[in-house]
Amino acid sequence: MESQESTKRSQDEIHDTTTTQQQEPTHDEPASKRQRLDESVEPQNGTTKKSPLDKVKGVAPIKAEYLIVAPGQSAKVAVPDVVDDDEAEGRGTIEHQQQGDSRDAGKGGRRKKKTGQNKERTFGTFSDAQRLCNSVAWTAEFSPRSCKFGERCNGLHDIRKYLKEGRRADLATFDGKCPTLEKFGKCPSGWRCLFVSSHSKEVEHEDGRKELVLTDKDGNTYPDTGDTGDANTEVVNNVEGQIKIDLSRKRVQFEKSDKYIKWLEKDTQIFRDHHHKQKDGNAEALDYRAMYVEPPFKPSEKKRLYFGRETPALAPLTTQGNLPFRRLCVDLGCELTYSEMAMGMPLLQGAKSDWTLMRAHKSETTPPRFNGDGPIAQGYDNSKDLKFGAQIAANAPWVAIKSTEALARFLPHLRLIDLNCGCPIDMLYKSGAGSALLDAPSKLERMIRGMNAVSDDVPITAKIRMGVRDDKFTAQKNIERLALGSEDNRDILGAPGCAAVTLHGRTRQQRYTRAANWEYIAETAAMIKRLNERTDSLADTIREVDERTLPNGGRMFFIGNGDCYSHIDYFDHVDNAKVDTVMIGRGAIIKPWIYEEIQTGQYLDKSATERLAYIEKFARYGMEAWGSDELGINYTRRFLLEFLSFFSRYVPIGLLEYLPPSINERPPAYKGRNELETLLASKDYKDWIKISEMFLGPAPATFSFTPKHKSNSYEIEAEG
């Protein structure tokens, strides 16, 4: 543990990471064993020193000297409000969409339903006061392109007027230098950049005219091409705009999907007739095996996957799991990442918003760590593996199948495609997607089987919950079906080909009201081990599983998910629950360096200045991803504030009485070891905005922010 001097280090001490060393837990200690820090210190009467938080369930054990207790108030601390976290993977709710102002009421006093995603939250407007026309946005002052709107254009064409009246003044953060320019040598935001003075100049021509021109990092004038182009060469999976247009206009043909869906419809009817005649005891029942027709696209030889002790994963997180955040996690040791959950139908309709979720940073295309200590699928090639996978949600097999074909065709950097079968949000559940699939095993199997048939060499995986209701766990039956296929037709169709399953140890009904059930996850891990061994024993029976339909040479990987908040939790789950690896959701948002702790095998007491440096890095990554103009900077601000709504929950190790920390414990009011640490712990979103202004400048007067997750709200989701 740190010395008293180090726990009071100043804000100016940057990058001075220290670790807790006194009574350091080993990887073999169960997460349930809590260590008391300083328990060797005893008062003079010989009794053990007690904390005012001893035995208070749900309360983080803050050391007494850091607690904020009002004069005359009892030292006993009340249990803080429980914060439910469903929203981090929810994309709006039916209930919220139905809420609205009375002005939205239609005939009969009924309120019109708001459509779209997360319409219950608004962020104000953060565009320029006057729009600059694209015809001059990236050109020299005297070399504009022709405006296709002509006199009808409502944008400014005068660059000097735009810089003076159309936008706010340049920002002073980052020493007034454009971060994108510093990184890539040029800025794609052109004249709209809020650091434009760092990459523009006025040149005087021989005739005495003075012209404003854009420059690169070296001060050289841009060629008058009319566009600086996409300076960020580190982002992959950029789908061309024409492809999205073709999708929206139904010009894209899905040959594989159409043939498979046609076969699926025919096969379903044949099987239904056969099943009914057998049920009726008809002696002339159809021989289903004789009538079986091979699907036009048998699942091909997929890339082999690997999940191991050395590959902790980041969960697919809507809003929080954006590209800049995933990039930060990879910097800190995350080995496997997933896109935010994309909806299958918008992908097929060419929706820009959902295709943007598929963009990844080049750091996500590098191979994950590979020690080779755990079970390895025969033929696995780590050099051809990468970190990034996509997750989709769909409510019908044809939607899942066609969107899978689209992803496999248009995204060159894809490790796997994961089907979300766990999101509890009403909007998805009531449509038959997300966790609704847990009660529709036949449809779920058809989805996975069909996705495998059209995904080329990209493996298909699934993320599920224990079940829909607390009194009925269905995960194990669903996993057996995903591993081997239904008992009625696995001897004919083979296995669905699911390469890996992630189990979140909660039900849809439970949400985040209780801790994740790792005992059930451990039972499921043991069952999957038996299933992996069973595939060989089936070879001599009439129910033989076609080897061509088995992923990873017959091995299904199993990933656990839920409440992992330290390296102690992680290694406890891998060693005792026997999962292949652990997927981390909220724990990674609260402290992204959890992956660094897993790599080093020790707690890292990050100073406030180090944590502020991560916020700065996120701001830089955000501007690189979304731009340094007014729109891009405030997109970055919005997602940074979403990040800070979780990041502020972190309680520094040096302030705790006990280890390991628990993600489900909430701290009472406390002060940090310095003013910055106290600020970073603030639960007031106005303080989060102040923190964002350190790097993104003042928020526009029209900008607003409401935290996505709220206390005692059960309509939100963090890990599907």
Side-chain angles (χ1 to χ4, degrees), residues 158-406:
D158 186 331
I159 294 175
R160 292 180 186 270
K161 183 177 180 180
Y162 169 75
L163 294 177
K164 184 178 181 180
E165 303 175 8
R167 43 152 264 172
R168 55 175 167 158
D170 271 13
L171 301 181
T173 57
F174 298 107
D175 297 324
K177 297 179 180 179
C178 174
T180 306
L181 178 80
E182 294 294 304
K183 178 69 178 290
F184 300 107
K186 61 179 181 179
C187 174
S189 297
W191 292 111
R192 297 188 180 108
C193 176
L194 288 179
F195 301 90
V196 71
S197 58
S198 66
H199 52 79
S200 64
K201 63 182 179 181
E202 187 178 60
V203 297
E204 185 172 354
H205 296 287
E206 294 180 356
D207 59 2
R209 295 188 304 164
K210 294 182 178 180
E211 181 183 24
L212 291 174
V213 297
L214 293 168
T215 62
D216 59 20
K217 185 178 180 180
D218 298 325
N220 300 318
T221 303
Y222 277 134
D224 291 333
T225 59
D227 193 343
T228 61
D230 188 357
N232 192 343
T233 57
E234 296 185 345
V235 174
V236 301
N237 290 343
N238 286 300
V239 179
E240 296 178 6
Q242 187 59 49
I243 292 175
K244 300 170 191 172
I245 293 174
D246 290 342
L247 284 166
S248 67
R249 297 179 180 176
K250 298 183 179 180
R251 295 173 181 168
V252 178
Q253 299 298 316
F254 296 98
E255 294 88 356
K256 293 181 181 180
S257 295
D258 289 339
K259 290 181 180 180
Y260 187 85
I261 291 169
K262 184 177 180 180
W263 167 85
L264 183 63
E265 292 172 351
K266 179 180 178 181
D267 176 76
T268 301
Q269 186 59 47
I270 292 174
F271 180 77
R272 184 181 295 115
D273 293 343
H274 172 60
H275 177 72
H276 288 166
K277 290 185 178 182
Q278 279 189 327
K279 186 177 180 180
D280 295 338
N282 191 331
E284 298 179 357
L286 292 172
D287 184 354
Y288 180 59
R289 177 182 286 275
M291 297 189 64
Y292 173 72
V293 178
E294 285 279 333
F297 288 95
K298 201 72 171 170
S300 60
E301 189 71 15
K302 307 288 182 181
K303 292 182 294 187
R304 301 301 171 90
L305 296 177
Y306 173 76
F307 296 88
R309 183 185 181 90
E310 69 274 31
T311 60
L314 174 65
L317 299 163
T318 295
T319 304
Q320 278 84 0
N322 51 67
L323 186 152
F325 178 73
R326 298 197 313 268
R327 184 178 171 187
L328 176 63
C329 288
V330 170
D331 288 349
L332 293 170
C334 177
E335 297 298 333
L336 302 173
T337 63
Y338 291 77
S339 72
E340 300 175 57
M341 179 184 67
M343 304 299 294
M345 185 60 76
L347 287 173
L348 295 177
Q349 295 171 339
K352 182 179 178 181
S353 57
D354 282 75
W355 279 103
T356 298
L357 301 179
M358 298 297 112
R359 298 169 72 227
H361 187 259
K362 71 174 186 179
S363 62
E364 297 178 272
T365 66
T366 57
R369 291 177 64 197
F370 178 64
N371 296 338
D373 296 334
I376 304 169
Q378 184 178 3
Y380 173 71
D381 187 349
N382 180 255
S383 64
K384 295 181 180 179
D385 200 0
L386 65 158
K387 296 181 174 69
F388 178 74
Q391 188 188 66
I392 62 172
N395 63 352
W398 73 268
V399 176
I401 293 168
K402 286 194 173 184
S403 56
T404 295
E405 183 178 352

Side-chain angles (χ1 to χ4, degrees), residues 381-678:
D381 187 349
N382 180 255
S383 64
K384 295 181 180 179
D385 200 0
L386 65 158
K387 296 181 174 69
F388 178 74
Q391 188 188 66
I392 62 172
N395 63 352
W398 73 268
V399 176
I401 293 168
K402 286 194 173 184
S403 56
T404 295
E405 183 178 352
L407 293 177
R409 184 189 305 181
F410 300 128
L411 301 181
H413 303 280
L414 206 56
R415 183 178 202 251
L416 55 82
I417 299 174
D418 186 77
L419 180 64
N420 184 309
C421 313
C423 184
I425 301 306
D426 287 340
M427 184 179 69
L428 263 70
Y429 179 77
K430 292 180 179 180
S431 73
S435 56
L437 294 173
L438 300 176
D439 282 344
S442 180
K443 182 167 75 169
L444 173 56
E445 180 184 348
R446 290 199 305 273
M447 282 185 173
I448 295 295
R449 194 180 295 279
M451 292 167 69
N452 258 307
V454 301
S455 66
D456 295 329
D457 67 340
V458 180
I460 303 299
T461 64
K463 186 170 188 286
I464 69 175
R465 287 193 176 219
M466 296 191 301
V468 173
R469 297 177 296 279
D470 289 345
D471 60 351
K472 185 180 179 182
F473 295 170
T474 60
Q476 293 181 4
K477 288 186 177 180
N478 280 320
I479 289 175
E480 181 175 3
R481 188 158 185 161
L482 292 178
L484 302 175
S486 66
E487 293 184 0
D488 293 327
N489 58 8
R490 72 176 55 146
D491 56 324
I492 301 172
L493 301 181
C498 189
V501 171
T502 301
L503 176 59
H504 184 178
R506 291 183 170 90
T507 63
R508 176 183 187 268
Q509 180 182 354
Q510 177 185 344
R511 301 295 175 91
Y512 284 87
T513 57
R514 292 190 297 276
N517 189 339
W518 276 93
E519 291 183 1
Y520 184 79
I521 293 176
E523 293 173 5
T524 307
M527 183 203 73
I528 290 178
K529 182 180 179 181
R530 294 193 297 270
L531 289 178
N532 287 332
E533 295 171 347
R534 182 183 175 188
T535 54
D536 292 335
S537 65
L538 292 174
D540 297 329
T541 72
I542 192 172
R543 300 205 179 273
E544 175 183 352
V545 176
D546 188 339
E547 291 183 0
R548 294 173 298 172
T549 65
L550 294 175
N552 293 312
R555 175 178 176 77
M556 172 188 277
F557 283 98
F558 183 53
I559 301 99
N561 175 218
D563 295 351
C564 183
Y565 192 50
S566 69
H567 64 288
I568 297 296
D569 292 337
Y570 180 84
F571 290 113
D572 173 47
H573 300 330
V574 172
D575 295 336
N576 298 324
K578 303 299 182 183
V579 295
D580 292 304
T581 192
V582 178
M583 181 181 284
I584 307 172
R586 293 177 301 157
I589 315 176
I590 296 172
K591 59 170 188 180
W593 59 92
I594 186 173
Y595 299 104
E596 190 178 354
E597 291 187 339
I598 291 170
Q599 282 190 0
T600 60
Q602 57 187 348
Y603 294 108
L604 299 176
D605 189 2
K606 297 289 184 176
S607 68
T609 46
E610 288 173 307
R611 293 163 59 201
L612 191 66
Y614 295 145
I615 296 173
E616 177 183 352
K617 182 175 281 192
F618 182 97
R620 289 181 180 272
Y621 289 170
M623 284 186 277
E624 291 176 19
W626 297 309
S628 52
D629 57 353
E630 188 72 64
L631 187 63
I633 283 178
N634 285 293
Y635 260 100
T636 300
R637 189 190 311 277
R638 178 257 166 121
F639 289 109
L640 174 58
L641 294 175
E642 305 280 14
F643 174 31
L644 290 175
S645 69
F646 280 87
F647 198 64
S648 61
R649 296 188 198 176
Y650 173 69
V651 180
I653 293 295
L655 274 60
L656 293 175
E657 288 273 10
Y658 296 96
L659 291 178
S662 171
I663 194 172
N664 295 315
E665 292 179 339
R666 300 286 178 258
Y670 73 94
K671 60 184 177 181
R673 292 167 289 192
N674 53 52
E675 292 183 3
L676 179 58
E677 193 166 74
T678 302

Side-chain angles (χ1 to χ4, degrees), residues 100-106 111:
D101 192 278
S102 59
R103 290 171 295 181
D104 295 330
R111 291 177 178 176

Side-chain angles (χ1 to χ4, degrees), residues 667-697:
Y670 73 94
K671 60 184 177 181
R673 292 167 289 192
N674 53 52
E675 292 183 3
L676 179 58
E677 193 166 74
T678 302
L679 177 64
L680 291 176
S682 173
K683 302 301 182 288
D684 188 343
Y685 75 93
K686 294 179 182 178
D687 286 331
W688 306 341
I689 292 178
K690 291 178 183 177
I691 294 171
S692 77
E693 291 177 338
M694 295 181 186
F695 308 107
L696 302 175

